[in-house]
Amino acid sequence: MILLAFDYGTRKIGVASGNALIGTASPLPPLPCKNEQPDWQQMAALLDEWRPELVVVGLPLNMDGSESHSSERARKFARRIQGRFGLKVYMVDERLSTREARERTATRGPDPKVDSMAAVVIAEGYLNGAEPVTP
């Protein structure tokens, strides 16, 4: 089973592909956003190319587990993917995914590699049994 994972951001969206059979994920180029919206044509092309069986979107929770404004934006993004493309979409807790992505890529400041590596962390969380929730 192939899945695509997204780390939603207001300026760019990290993207990773995951393979449930072997339990691995790989970063893909991030998608740019304009006015907090992805280019839906690019998204359609990406989904058409990979044909994932499901999509996983990171759910940015506060450290105490409560939701934030970012959580609602990520949920809206996930619901739009589900509605526009008819795909099964799950969300997983993405707390500390950016920190882990920075460690894996050895970067500190803004770097496109970090966004997609965070999506890898999200995909791996799902593949390793993180509790998925619906958007």
Side-chain angles (χ1 to χ4, degrees):
M1 173 186 69
I2 299 296
L3 66 88
L4 285 181
F6 296 99
D7 179 36
Y8 175 78
T10 58
R11 286 181 260 164
K12 57 186 166 296
I13 300 168
V15 183
S17 63
N19 185 318
L21 183 64
I22 57 177
T24 62
S26 302
L28 297 172
L31 296 174
C33 287
K34 185 175 181 180
N35 299 321
E36 299 184 8
Q37 292 294 315
D39 179 327
W40 290 108
Q41 288 181 330
Q42 278 186 310
M43 180 68 73
L46 180 70
L47 294 170
D48 189 52
E49 177 183 351
W50 284 91
R51 300 199 181 281
E53 291 181 44
L54 67 95
V55 169
V56 180
V57 176
L59 180 60
L61 299 172
N62 294 317
M63 290 309 291
D64 66 1
S66 63
E67 295 208 12
S68 66
H69 186 62
S70 295
S71 303
E72 184 50 41
R73 285 193 303 242
R75 283 184 182 279
K76 187 175 181 180
F77 170 71
R79 287 190 303 265
R80 285 186 172 165
I81 291 174
Q82 195 171 35
R84 284 177 182 253
F85 303 105
L87 292 167
K88 188 183 307 182
V89 179
Y90 292 112
M91 299 189 81
V92 296
D93 183 350
E94 70 162 57
R95 280 180 281 187
L96 303 177
S97 63
T98 300
R99 174 187 253 176
E100 185 173 339
R102 287 189 193 290
E103 290 173 4
R104 289 186 187 192
T105 59
T107 57
R108 292 185 177 204
D111 187 323
K113 292 184 293 193
V114 172
D115 298 305
S116 289
M117 187 56 70
V120 167
V121 173
I122 291 164
E124 290 173 347
Y126 177 83
L127 293 169
N128 291 327
E131 187 67 33
V133 295
T134 57

